[in-house]
DNA sequence: ACCCAGGGTCATA
DNA sequence: TATGACCATGGG
């Protein structure tokens, strides 16, 4: 038994799903692009956009920054919010070029880099942390909608806390290791895609013994099977 | 015809 | 500080 339920949940998920090998991308820059495109958007739609984007330009900040908004927007269309994301992606790419590329950023300390990312228009806390963790390997815990839903369902958080509060809570209790945070977030996403849905499938969940929603879920299926 | 998806910004009170 | 509107496509 672990001293913290937060690590306990991690062990359950890891045991069940195994290592996830995230983020689904070839390069660090592709992680950054994906992190922006996946804002409130399913990953399958992001993949369509990435294919179309690669079809137009090489996946490099300078090339994307140099595209006309019309051509970029057309490539990004499948990812949704394409006008918004065109602007955000080009703003980010221009910023990255102005920094001299990725290499100088690897020398900045995590706290500084995080604030610099947040200062880029269109980069919010989750996108910044995706980039910090999965592109730069920094020990930053990513809090997304899936994280809120799972841990609220487990009764370990309320769910509507401010982003920073939740991130601090996870990082306080868990060892500050990028490898752990990397795997944990990936496992939460995998779990959300399979059983921890908006309509919970808690009866089929590895964590059902911990999940108060499992009772309601079982009761619901009992009712369903009666008719 | 709904709801949902790996958020963020902006205007308002 | 804290809600609500808005952005937009594709799948279930």
């Amino acid at each position: 038994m672990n001293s913290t339920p937060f690590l306990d949940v991690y062990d359950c998920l890891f045991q069940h799903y195994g290592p996830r090998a995230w983020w689904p991308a070839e390069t660090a820059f592709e992680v950054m692009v994906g992190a922006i495109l996946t804002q409130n958007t399913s990953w399958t739609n992001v993949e369509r956009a990435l294919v179309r984007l690669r079809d137009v330009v090489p996946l490099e900040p300078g090339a994307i920054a140099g595209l006309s908004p019309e051509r970029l927007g057309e490539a990004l269309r499948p990812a949704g919010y394409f006008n918004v994301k065109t602007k955000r992606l080009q703003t980010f790419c221009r910023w990255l070029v102005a920094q001299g590329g990725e290499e100088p950023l690897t020398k900045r300390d995590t706290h500084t880099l995080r604030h610099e990312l947040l200062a880029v228009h269109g980069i919010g806390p989750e996108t910044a942390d995706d980039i910090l963790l999965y592109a730069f390997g920094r020990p930053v815990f990513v809090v997304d909608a899936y994280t809120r839903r799972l841990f609220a369902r487990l009764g370990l958080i309320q769910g509507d806390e401010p982003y920073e509060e939740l991130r601090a809570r996870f990082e306080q209790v868990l060892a500050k290791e990028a490898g752990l945070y990397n795997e944990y977030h990936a496992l939460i996403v995998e779990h959300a895609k399979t059983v921890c849905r908006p309509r919970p499938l808690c009866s089929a969940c590895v964590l059902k013994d911990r999940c108060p929603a499992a009772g309601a879920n079982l009761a619901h299926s009992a009712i369903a099977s009666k008719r």
Side-chain angles (χ1 to χ4, degrees), chain A residues 163-174:
Chain A
Y163 186 96
E164 292 305 325
E165 183 182 328
L166 287 178
R167 187 173 69 89
R169 199 181 294 183
F170 279 93
E171 291 184 7
Q172 238 163 27
V173 170
L174 300 170

Side-chain angles (χ1 to χ4, degrees), chain A residues 133-165:
Chain A
L133 178 59
Y134 290 104
F136 291 100
R138 306 302 178 89
V140 171
F141 192 92
V142 175
V143 178
D144 67 345
Y146 292 158
T147 310
R148 292 176 184 274
R149 186 165 73 202
L150 172 60
F151 288 91
R153 228 169 246 177
L154 292 170
L156 294 174
I157 64 173
Q158 221 282 323
D160 57 355
E161 296 92 335
Y163 186 96
E164 292 305 325
E165 183 182 328

